[in-house]
Amino acid sequence: MACPDPHSCFDDSQSRARHWRLRLRVDFERKVLSGEAELRFERPAQGPLDLDTKGLTILSASCREADVPFELEGERPILGRRLRLRLPPGTRSVAIRYETSPEAMGLQWLSAAQTEGKRKPFLFSQCQAIHARSVLPCQDSPSARVTFEAELDVPEGLSAVMGAGPLGDAPSGPGRRAWRFGMPQPIPSYLFALAVGELSSRELSSRCRVWAEPACVDKAAWEFAGVESMLAAAESLFGPYEWQRYDMLVLPPSFPYGGMENPRMTFLTPTLLAGDRSLVDVVAHELAHSWTGNLVTNATAEHFWLNEGFTVWAERRILKALRGEEAASLAWAIGQKALDEELKRFKDRPELTRLRAHLEGVDPDDAYSAVPYEKGARFLACLERAAGQAEFDAFVKSYLARYRFQSVATEDFCRRVEERFPGLLAKVDADAWLNKPGMPSDAPRFCSPRLNALAALAEDWPKGRRPDPALLRAAKPEELLVFLQRLPQTLGPADCRWLDDNLGLTGRGNYEVLVQWLRLAAASGYQPAFERVRRLLLEVGRMKYVRPLYLALGKTPPGRALARRVFSEAAGSYHVLTRRAAESALAGYPA
Ligand code: BES
Ligand code: ZN
């Protein structure tokens, strides 16, 4: 097996880079990173070495001052261009001088206007799944791990942070400052992360700190104050935290995800700053990745469920430990709705709803959905129920310890389950979970008294019975979310007005509740909410919100008109992935 990963030209019969030394200059005028990546090998290397690149300009390759011959092959769709180096015998390291493209998929360059402070530009990276190759030439497969050291040269007045340990900063030239970082634990390339902007930070515990733009750093520190207790709960469930520090960075609102588990520095969307700590389960999720994903990593994107399904399961175990069974049940129920919707969205591509995916020729960004998350988590919950919680917990701990700092495939996981619990896989029909599309009919369902009560309120709605508003006003945000998810997804103007007047939905700070409402309002053509939809779509780039809102606007002519107007205004400031998601929603509108 020379090329184990369909999304990378990483060839495991060639030498492996074990360490990167990066020196990069951040150029906000040209929107490029330029500099040098030195790849070091464990043993003297020689012969061909294939690296992934996308949009990179390769200026030179050298080893001990001597040029190393290289070819940059033609562009392949999705994958980019293979850079083939020919290493002379005895090569211990090779230095590549290069430059990124302003369109690099792994980087988003924001103007000052797109930040909260409006004074300084901002840069952040998002390398998962296969965008590290647009940031540096590398063996861009999660089955190859590296340690690294990096120096980022940035304009004075901006701070640089990385998914790594800081090693200090010093002036590097007129108006410039160099920030140094080291990452002693080996990571897969998709966890390489950097951000540059006007940042300040607050300490949350001896090993946790939050970074954000100065204008929202105190709000962030309040919102995430409980992170140390999550970390402690996670350690007791999953074993020691192996990354020394757990810091977080709150990004500008165009960040396309809710969170990204960059090691030592989780990246978060500012839409989590609800003002009531009601969205911290996203932090629990990213934190849980420190074990499930970062420590034990999916071998390729075809085993993505091992990262995300495992992490959703782990996140809900943390939630249960901290807030109890009822809170965890609500989270499972909210996830069930997302799962049902995504199974519908993928009804014409059912093969993408298998946990063990086959992605040759498929862009991982196109395959991305809630399915590996929620179906994967349910598969694990099913194993957990069949094995018994204490036994399954002990198994998970030993599995994580066994594969720490390694990459695993679905087959490795199954082998370990079979070893520990002979016959269990067959008993739960693991083959159906892993290899068949959709959900097995006996998939676990989660219920609780609170959940049943909320569902009953929503079921009464079409029968014309309105709930007591006081009851819903007293509900927690996640309870309100459950209620809203269960209402019919288009309503008349009087119903919409009732909801908004009684529950103050348009003014909500919890984005899950807000967006669930705005989707309903948009799909119903309820124009009093359109201005809030417009503002949200101009500001927020989180795909989880942007895609459904554009889809909902597509249901009525005034909605479509708004969507087209807003998109033409917002497109330029969206992350490429967000722009694509919005474009594909617009493309599905009736002519
Ligand atoms: N690792 C993912 C984000 C990701 C996945 C980025 C694939 C690029 C490609 C992260 O851990 C995640 O799952 N984020 C979720 C939050 C979560 C609570 C489910 C998100 O962004 O919504
Ligand atoms: Zn995740």
Side-chain angles (χ1 to χ4, degrees):
M1 202 188 347
C3 290
D5 184 340
H7 296 111
S8 172
C9 58
F10 167 58
D11 181 333
D12 61 10
S13 67
Q14 301 178 351
S15 295
R16 240 180 237 225
R18 294 292 182 183
H19 185 76
W20 301 336
R21 246 188 102 224
L22 303 170
R23 287 179 46 228
L24 295 173
R25 185 186 155 89
V26 178
D27 184 339
F28 279 100
E29 276 76 53
R30 295 173 55 228
K31 301 190 174 159
V32 300
L33 301 180
S34 62
E36 188 178 278
E38 186 187 328
L39 278 54
R40 293 195 185 156
F41 305 100
E42 195 169 43
R43 277 173 252 106
Q46 68 172 59
L49 178 75
D50 293 335
L51 301 176
D52 295 295
T53 77
K54 197 162 192 188
L56 300 183
T57 305
I58 305 298
L59 303 169
S60 71
S62 62
C63 154
R64 282 180 259 112
E65 250 83 286
D67 281 349
V68 167
F70 69 87
E71 288 147 64
L72 195 53
E73 298 178 356
E75 180 82 25
R76 288 163 309 159
I78 304 164
L79 304 179
R81 303 173 71 176
R82 175 160 79 179
L83 174 64
R84 171 161 286 189
L85 304 173
R86 296 192 187 274
L87 306 176
T91 302
R92 294 206 166 258
S93 76
V94 59
I96 302 165
R97 287 203 310 117
Y98 74 100
E99 193 167 281
T100 62
S101 135
E103 278 79 49
M105 286 287 289
L107 300 172
Q108 192 180 8
W109 300 84
L110 303 180
S111 65
Q114 287 172 272
T115 66
E116 175 115 36
K118 315 268 180 247
R119 283 189 301 226
K120 299 276 168 67
F122 202 104
L123 164 68
F124 66 80
S125 66
Q126 170 51 53
C127 289
Q128 200 180 11
I130 54 168
H131 304 307
R133 65 194 63 181
S134 71
V135 180
L136 78 165
C138 60
Q139 292 169 313
D140 194 11
S141 167
S143 47
R145 298 178 98 93
V146 288
T147 53
F148 70 82
E149 60 205 286
E151 187 180 295
L152 299 180
D153 184 274
V154 315
E156 192 70 73
L158 297 178
S159 305
V161 296
M162 289 192 78
L167 296 174
D169 55 285
S172 58
R176 312 272 312 174
R177 182 169 283 270
W179 298 69
R180 291 190 310 114
F181 303 87
M183 188 63 195
Q185 290 93 355
I187 58 154
S189 52
Y190 77 84
L191 290 177
F192 179 77
L194 59 89
V196 180
E198 192 182 13
L199 293 172
S200 44
S201 74
R202 295 286 181 269
E203 195 170 281
L204 304 173
S205 76
S206 63
R207 52 180 173 170
C208 301
R209 174 172 280 279
V210 63
W211 292 83
E213 286 195 64
C216 66
V217 72
D218 286 313
K219 192 169 187 202
W222 185 86
E223 202 83 34
F224 304 135
V227 64
E228 177 62 40
S229 64
M230 284 183 183
L231 191 40
E235 284 194 292
S236 76
L237 283 164
F238 311 126
Y241 181 73
E242 303 253 20
W243 308 87
Q244 283 145 355
R245 295 196 52 90
Y246 183 77
D247 294 335
M248 295 167 282
L249 169 66
V250 178
L251 289 143
S254 67
F255 185 57
Y257 291 98
M260 176 65 211
E261 67 272 24
N262 297 133
R264 294 177 184 229
M265 183 68 76
T266 279
F267 283 18
L268 297 169
T269 167
T271 61
L272 301 184
L273 304 178
D276 59 5
R277 300 186 179 149
S278 56
L279 295 174
V280 293
D281 50 343
V282 176
V283 175
H285 177 95
E286 305 314 332
L287 173 66
H289 271 304
S290 307
W291 290 265
T292 51
N294 298 6
L295 196 58
V296 177
T297 306
N298 55 206
T300 72
E302 295 186 329
H303 307 280
F304 186 56
W305 81 273
L306 279 174
N307 270 24
E308 297 300 345
F310 233 114
T311 301
V312 169
W313 174 84
E315 161 203 341
R316 294 188 185 145
R317 289 306 314 279
I318 296 174
L319 188 62
K320 186 163 146 186
L322 293 177
R323 305 229 318 272
E325 184 96 46
E326 182 100 310
S329 296
L330 274 186
W332 282 103
I334 291 166
Q336 183 71 49
K337 277 284 170 189
L339 176 57
D340 296 343
E341 276 178 17
E342 294 281 75
L343 289 171
K344 260 188 238 148
R345 184 161 74 89
F346 281 87
K347 68 177 184 315
D348 297 329
R349 299 184 76 184
E351 72 287 356
L352 294 182
T353 67
R354 300 158 36 150
L355 286 181
R356 168 46 167 113
H358 295 269
L359 298 179
E360 183 100 47
V362 179
D363 185 337
D365 289 328
D366 294 337
Y368 182 83
S369 80
V371 175
Y373 289 75
E374 295 293 342
K375 182 180 178 183
R378 278 163 179 73
F379 173 46
L380 293 166
C382 183
L383 290 170
E384 179 188 6
R385 284 183 181 182
Q389 190 182 96
E391 288 73 15
F392 194 68
D393 277 357
F395 163 74
V396 168
K397 249 189 195 168
S398 76
Y399 163 79
L400 294 171
R402 162 74 176 72
Y403 287 105
R404 61 194 278 280
F405 296 113
Q406 295 176 44
S407 302
V408 288
T410 303
E411 299 69 39
D412 302 310
F413 171 75
C414 288
R415 194 168 343 106
R416 296 299 158 200
V417 175
E418 194 53 31
E419 235 169 57
R420 181 79 161 235
F421 307 110
L424 191 70
L425 291 174
K427 185 173 164 207
V428 305
D429 197 0
D431 180 53
W433 280 98
L434 295 169
N435 299 314
K436 304 216 166 96
M439 289 296 284
S441 54
D442 58 349
R445 308 288 294 193
F446 296 83
C447 51
S448 76
R450 190 73 193 124
L451 196 53
N452 295 340
L454 292 160
L457 287 185
E459 275 152 26
D460 276 350
W461 191 282
K463 301 176 199 147
R465 282 199 290 276
R466 300 290 164 264
D468 174 0
L471 216 71
L472 285 172
R473 271 199 294 266
K476 298 193 189 102
E478 57 277 21
E479 295 174 337
L480 194 51
L481 179 60
V482 164
F483 169 75
L484 290 173
Q485 282 184 332
R486 280 165 171 69
L487 287 180
Q489 289 308 292
T490 56
L491 291 174
D495 283 343
C496 288
R497 193 167 328 107
W498 188 99
L499 286 169
D500 202 14
D501 287 354
N502 284 297
L503 306 174
L505 297 172
T506 303
R508 290 274 164 161
N510 177 304
Y511 267 78
E512 293 292 324
V513 170
L514 176 67
V515 171
Q516 191 66 38
W517 153 244
L518 292 177
R519 286 171 65 179
L520 201 168
S524 307
Y526 182 64
Q527 300 208 19
F530 275 26
E531 177 51 27
R532 185 69 190 94
V533 175
R534 193 186 78 90
R535 226 164 15 92
L536 192 152
L537 289 175
L538 285 176
E539 197 181 285
V540 174
R542 185 174 177 188
M543 286 185 283
K544 183 181 181 190
Y545 300 148
V546 171
R547 186 200 323 270
L549 279 173
Y550 275 108
L551 287 171
L553 286 172
K555 306 270 187 213
T556 69
R560 292 196 282 276
L562 172 66
R564 295 197 174 99
R565 242 183 305 125
V566 140
F567 181 72
S568 67
E569 198 179 330
S573 55
Y574 283 156
H575 190 280
V576 196
L577 292 171
T578 306
R579 194 181 316 143
R580 270 208 227 151
E583 261 162 4
S584 90
L586 289 169
Y589 285 4

